[in-house]
Amino acid sequence: MHGRDERAGENRGDALRFFKTWLRHPLKLGAVAPSSAAYCATMANCASTEIDGPVLELGPGLGVVTKALLDKGVDPKRITSIEYDPGFAATLKDRFPAVNVIRGDAFDLDRTLGERRGEKFAAILLAVPIVGLPQDKRQALFADYFRRLLPGGNITQLSYLVTAPVKPVPGVFDVSASPVVWDNIPPARVWIYAPAKSGRMAA
Ligand SMILES: C[S@@+](CC[C@H](N)C(=O)[O-])C[C@H]1O[C@@H](n2cnc3c(N)ncnc32)[C@H](O)[C@@H]1O
């Protein structure tokens, strides 16, 4: 096997592994299958990676969004990816040796980032399930993430919800969405959270 066949085999293997992990931890995983390449490309394109600075990925799974960032031309050395599942984190380290993969909790960034806790990011890409959190906790979490962004930076989120998973916080951040990406199961939008009044639009 080589080239396209090899990639197809890896994708099938990842889908099976993802599904088996979902059976054991449905709430932590939040999806039965990895996001499609089209959905991940939309996510990467909506993220404010043109700003000079490091990029933070939360909940990379087996690396589909990580790959989309690299395909967009983001230098792997700019990327820090935080994944809770130890097996997924180990696979990410093998697949993306130049990416800073941290096995840790995206809901406790001070602890997870350790000495780098004060770092500011150009963009934060989030795929961690947050449906278990009440709305005020989601907003508080995002307000904390916004404090970690460089000026003009945004947060992009993968979510199948039909309304914004996190409501805007006046004076802190606004929310908009990409068009629906139909080539994903289920079809879904990328949610884009930008500093209040910035008017950044979906790609
Ligand atoms: C819906 S999957 C998304 C995976 C991949 N980004 C994709 O789009 O296919 C959510 C991922 O977030 C991880 N995760 C869940 N809770 C987390 C947490 N608190 N911190 C970091 N990662 C977490 C899960 O292990 C899983 O890999």
Side-chain angles (χ1 to χ4, degrees), residues 43-44 46-57 69 72 74-75 78-80 116 118-125 145-156 192-195 200:
M43 175 80 149
C46 291
S48 51
T49 59
E50 74 282 359
I51 295 172
D52 200 16
V55 171
L56 183 63
E57 186 192 10
L69 283 170
K72 187 185 177 184
V74 176
D75 183 338
R78 290 177 62 197
I79 305 173
T80 292
R116 291 180 58 206
E119 194 161 5
K120 303 273 186 193
F121 296 90
I124 298 177
L125 297 91
Y145 291 163
F146 263 91
R147 282 192 285 276
R148 299 172 191 274
L149 281 173
L150 289 163
N154 71 10
I155 300 173
T156 47
I192 304 154
Y193 304 85
R200 186 185 175 90

Side-chain angles (χ1 to χ4, degrees), residues 18 21 27-36 39-40 43 57-66 82-85 88 102 104-108 112 126-129 158 160:
F18 206 92
T21 309
L27 296 180
K28 269 261 178 278
L29 215 58
V32 294
S35 304
S36 73
Y39 194 30
C40 294
M43 175 80 149
E57 186 192 10
L58 304 176
L62 289 166
V64 281
V65 171
T66 323
I82 295 176
E83 171 55 50
Y84 195 79
D85 183 276
F88 284 3
I102 302 176
D105 186 357
F107 295 153
D108 187 0
T112 303
L126 178 129
V128 173
L158 300 179
Y160 313 139

Side-chain angles (χ1 to χ4, degrees), residues 139-197:
Q139 289 176 312
L141 182 70
F142 272 45
D144 174 67
Y145 291 163
F146 263 91
R147 282 192 285 276
R148 299 172 191 274
L149 281 173
L150 289 163
N154 71 10
I155 300 173
T156 47
Q157 180 187 26
L158 300 179
S159 170
Y160 313 139
L161 297 184
V162 293
T163 58
V166 186
K167 308 288 174 236
V169 175
V172 182
F173 61 86
D174 297 325
V175 58
S176 62
S178 74
V180 173
V181 179
W182 294 97
D183 179 11
N184 189 66
I185 302 173
R189 299 169 191 273
V190 171
W191 298 93
I192 304 154
Y193 304 85
K197 298 192 187 77

Side-chain angles (χ1 to χ4, degrees), residues 88-112:
F88 284 3
T91 297
L92 288 167
K93 285 181 188 181
D94 282 349
R95 284 186 183 168
F96 306 102
V99 169
N100 177 30
V101 176
I102 302 176
R103 192 266 144 183
D105 186 357
F107 295 153
D108 187 0
L109 286 184
D110 276 347
R111 183 172 176 175
T112 303

